Structure formats: structure tokens, C-alpha cells
Amino acid sequence: MVLRDLICDAAVAGLALPHSPYWYGVSVGGLLATGAHGSSLWGKGSAVHEYVVGMRIVTPAPVSQGFAVVREPGADHPDLDAAKVSLGVLGVVSQVTLQLQPIFKRSVTFLARDDSDLAAQVALWGDLHEFGDMTWLSRLGKVIYREDNRVDVSSPSDGLNGYLGFRSFPTLGLIIARVAEEHVEESNDMARCLAAGENLLRSSCPWDPRNRSLFFYNTGFNVELSKAPALVADMQRLRDLNPRALCSLDAKMGVLIRYVGASSAYLGKTEDSVNFDFTYYRSYTQGRPWLCASMASSRKYGAVPQWGKNRNFAFDGAIAKYAKSDEFLKVKERYDPDRVFSSEWSDHVLGIDGSPNIVQKGCAIEGLCICSHDSHCAPEQGYYCRPGKVYAEARVCSFRPTSRRDHNDEI
């Protein structure tokens, strides 16, 4: 079942799932496995798994048990804290029981302000509005604050949140936009980067792989609420050093900032957190650098990667930041001792065997490693492994200008 169907079926019964990720085309099993969330610190917070009160999971078993065992951890069973954010390594989730609420509407107001006090506001906004979030347009020095609160279902108006990034567009327009974007990236002409702006595929989603249209990375990480202001201040300092360095983030609708409450799930957030969501250019050509990408300083603040939105280097050592990861691995061993639902990749991510890093030529450009040598970047294209400008302990692929037109794009 996909999230859209769950929301619609619940509404028919006069009920609502209070929180969800911003796109309803994901499966319920998938969004739970990766800890998907909306934005809130109120009540149980915005993670969908916090509203799970029961699950049915089919796990492997020996032939004497018919090759499978059906397990049904309920609300009071400790295994539920492993199962509700499982990365898919425990078994097949066949049923989920969610605690729904009486249906309600939401009142939404968008406020555009300058970002001079963003570092202070990021610590406060989540407590002011039940579903509040922010979109930071760093190059423009603007923040779009979303005042989003629950109202009674009888309130007038029936608006629809038609988020621009998830709409279908004419396919030809998407292809033309991609051509313009590639020109901007390849020419380093960042001064123009903000100006560039089904039915037999006459229309499609921006990420549809059947068309050579928009192609991008979407990366997310979470920082404890108390540390978020300092991280934002560091990002602003980077922006001030080179105002054009982060502009491709603005071209992809900015940095989305959301709130996630602390969770009892073994692989959930250990404290109230702020989620930073970046969408940025990706080349179709392997090994070609992308401009304006920037997450290295997040390590300074103990950030943890969003399970469903990241690349190899971000997962290296991440499992150690989850205080109850050992408890999760014990449940995993009981549910799937023969590792039927495990893979080399999941073993790397969970710290069982090996590392998610793949160290080779150009690995840092592709997000496969953190650079320690120039060859991990793209020296032939002017990118070298250097300390970060704001967080000197970081190692990033930094562009070294060869003319006054070129610029540096590191964090």
C-alpha cells in the first residue's frame, strides 16, 4: 500500500494519519523502514513510525517450521522498537497497525523574511507551530517560514498542498531545463544559475528516469536541536565567504528544514532533531564534479544521515551514533540468523562487516568516500582535496580557480 491510498482510505472513515513525508507516492513499508517523517516536535513528533502500534512480519525459518515464521510485535513488545525502523533487514512486513486520529484540516501561511536571525529561529520555530518548517534560500538571503497548524475539520476552505517539486510537468520543458542547467554547471557561470530557470510521456515527474530531464541528488541529515543554531551559523559564514557557493541549492528550491521528535525506535532519533534536506545538481557523467554541494561541516555537530537519502560516505560510522544499535542487531540476529534479508551493503551500513566507503579514483566526487588524496577528487578538472573553509578538520573536493571568473565551492 502506498501512502496516498492509506490517507484516502483513512479519510473515508473520518480519520487521519497526523504526520507523513511530503510525497505520498512512497510505500508504507518503505517509509517506515527508512524512518520517513514530516515536520513537528509536538506530541510524538513527525516520524510516521511513532504512530505504529503493531506489525506483522514474516521472517525466515528452517524447513521444520515451514521456512517462515509470522511475528506480531504489539505496542508493548520490545521488538517493535526494532521493527518500526528496520532498514528492511528483519523480514517482510505484511501488515502495519497505525494509531490514527480524528480527521482535521490544517491552516497554512507562508512568511518570507531575511535570514539574519535564522540561526536563532531554527531553535524556536518547531515549538511555535505544530507542522511548521522552513525553506532557506541561502543565495538570496531569504527564508520561507511555514506557519502550519491544526484546525477543526469544519473550518471553511478545502485547499490542496500541491508542492511544486512533486508535480508533473511537460516533458519537453524538463529536458530543456536540464540542458540549461548542464550549461550553467559546466561553464561555472554561477551568476546566471538562479535565472536559468503519463499521456505518452507528454508530461512527467522531474525525476522520471525515462527522460533525460532533471537529475539530482537529494541528501538529508539530522542534527540535535540544541546544535542546529551553530550549524546554521557555520553555513551562513560559508555563504558570506562566497555568496555564489550555495546558489544551486536555491535553484532546487532551497534547503528544506524540518523537525523530528525523539523516538524509542532503536534506529530512530535519540533526541529532538532538526532535519536539513538538500537537493542539488547531479551530472549524468560519472566522475564529473557538481558545483555548490555541501555537507561536510555537518560532521562537526554529530549529524546522522537520513536513512533513505544519502550516499556512501555519510553512513561511515553512523551506526555508532545510535545508542541502542546493539539492541537492534540482537533482534536482527533472532529474526534472520541466516541473513536472508541482509546484503553486503546493509552489513556495511550497520557496522557488521566492512565500510560503506569505496576508496578509488574520483570517489569523493561521487560521494563514495571522504577525500584524503587529490586523486579522490578530480584534479584534471581543477578539484583538489583540501581542508574546509569553515570546518578545517573536514576534507572536501575544492575547486581551485584558474581565472577570475571561476570560484571556490567548498564547505
Side-chain angles (χ1 to χ4, degrees):
M1 171 178 272
V2 296
L3 179 60
R4 175 190 57 204
D5 296 338
L6 169 61
I7 291 173
C8 292
D9 289 349
V12 171
L15 299 170
L17 180 66
H19 294 281
S20 71
Y22 287 12
W23 188 50
Y24 62 10
V26 293
S27 70
V28 174
L31 70 87
L32 291 176
T34 55
H37 56 83
S39 181
S40 186
L41 294 177
W42 292 27
K44 293 183 178 181
S46 65
V48 180
H49 59 258
E50 288 304 290
Y51 300 87
V52 173
V53 293
M55 299 180 75
R56 180 182 295 164
I57 307 172
V58 182
T59 63
V63 63
S64 60
Q65 295 179 281
F67 298 105
V69 170
V70 177
R71 304 174 188 265
E72 299 185 75
D76 298 325
H77 198 294
D79 286 0
L80 190 63
D81 283 332
K84 60 188 183 182
V85 183
S86 70
L87 307 187
V89 299
L90 300 186
V92 175
V93 176
S94 63
Q95 182 174 302
V96 177
T97 304
L98 293 156
Q99 184 179 46
L100 303 181
Q101 298 178 1
I103 196 168
F104 57 90
K105 290 184 178 180
R106 286 160 58 167
S107 174
V108 181
T109 302
F110 293 97
L111 304 174
R113 302 175 182 169
D114 68 65
D115 68 357
S116 59
D117 64 342
L118 176 59
Q121 287 293 332
V122 75
L124 304 173
W125 195 253
D127 288 326
L128 297 177
H129 303 283
E130 183 174 4
F131 306 100
D133 68 21
M134 308 172 179
T135 299
W136 181 31
L137 305 172
S138 59
R139 175 69 176 88
L140 297 178
K142 298 291 184 182
V143 183
I144 309 299
Y145 292 90
R146 188 167 85 167
E147 293 183 346
D148 191 341
N149 296 291
R150 182 186 308 231
V151 295
D152 190 84
V153 70
S154 64
S155 300
S157 184
D158 292 298
L160 177 67
N161 181 18
Y163 180 64
L164 185 63
F166 296 149
R167 295 181 190 174
S168 175
F169 293 92
T171 299
L172 180 59
L174 293 173
I175 294 172
I176 293 172
R178 176 64 186 191
V179 171
E181 184 179 37
E182 288 180 341
H183 172 73
V184 167
E185 291 286 335
E186 293 173 9
S187 66
N188 287 358
D189 190 2
M190 302 310 294
R192 297 174 55 200
C193 74
L194 293 178
E198 305 228 322
N199 298 324
L200 298 178
L201 293 184
R202 288 193 296 270
S203 66
S204 57
C205 293
W207 59 84
D208 194 321
R210 293 171 294 178
N211 308 309
R212 190 181 173 90
S213 57
L214 303 186
F215 194 44
F216 47 81
Y217 285 113
N218 181 206
T219 299
F221 62 81
N222 298 275
V223 175
E224 293 174 9
L225 180 62
S226 61
K227 298 177 180 178
L231 172 60
V232 169
D234 270 1
M235 294 174 66
Q236 289 179 314
R237 280 194 288 273
L238 174 72
R239 185 272 314 276
D240 294 341
L241 286 170
N242 182 357
R244 295 181 297 183
L246 301 178
C247 78
S248 77
L249 297 177
D250 287 12
K252 292 291 187 294
M253 304 183 72
V255 180
L256 178 60
I257 301 173
R258 295 180 289 169
Y259 296 91
V260 191
S263 172
S264 63
Y266 296 154
L267 298 185
K269 307 298 178 291
T270 57
E271 296 191 28
D272 288 352
S273 301
V274 180
N275 174 265
F276 294 84
D277 200 293
F278 299 82
T279 301
Y280 50 97
Y281 173 87
R282 181 181 184 183
S283 175
Y284 278 102
T285 303
Q286 185 174 356
R288 177 170 292 174
W290 27 263
L291 300 178
C292 308
S294 56
M295 267 77 50
S297 66
S298 64
R299 291 190 166 229
K300 176 180 177 182
Y301 299 100
V304 293
Q306 193 161 336
W307 289 119
K309 295 181 180 179
N310 248 295
R311 295 178 294 155
N312 296 48
F313 79 92
F315 292 112
D316 187 29
I319 193 65
K321 298 176 183 178
Y322 292 87
K324 295 185 177 181
S325 59
D326 287 345
E327 297 299 317
F328 177 82
L329 293 178
K330 290 176 183 177
V331 176
K332 176 182 180 300
E333 180 62 24
R334 282 195 288 110
Y335 276 37
D336 186 18
D338 294 326
R339 303 176 64 255
V340 173
F341 289 94
S342 294
S343 66
E344 183 179 358
W345 169 247
S346 66
D347 284 352
H348 292 342
V349 170
L350 292 171
I352 296 172
D353 181 43
S355 166
N357 285 336
I358 300 175
V359 180
Q360 59 187 29
K361 181 179 179 181
C363 59
I365 291 294
E366 294 295 329
L368 302 177
C369 73
I370 294 176
C371 72
S372 58
H373 189 274
D374 287 343
S375 65
H376 298 157
C377 299
E380 71 282 358
Q381 299 180 59
Y383 286 80
Y384 300 88
C385 187
R386 295 291 185 268
K389 277 189 173 294
V390 172
Y391 180 38
E393 294 182 25
R395 291 298 177 269
V396 298
C397 291
S398 175
F399 182 71
R400 292 297 158 185
T402 57
S403 71
R404 293 182 63 184
R405 181 182 177 183
D406 293 331
H407 65 279
N408 193 294
D409 69 320
E410 65 188 83
I411 268 195

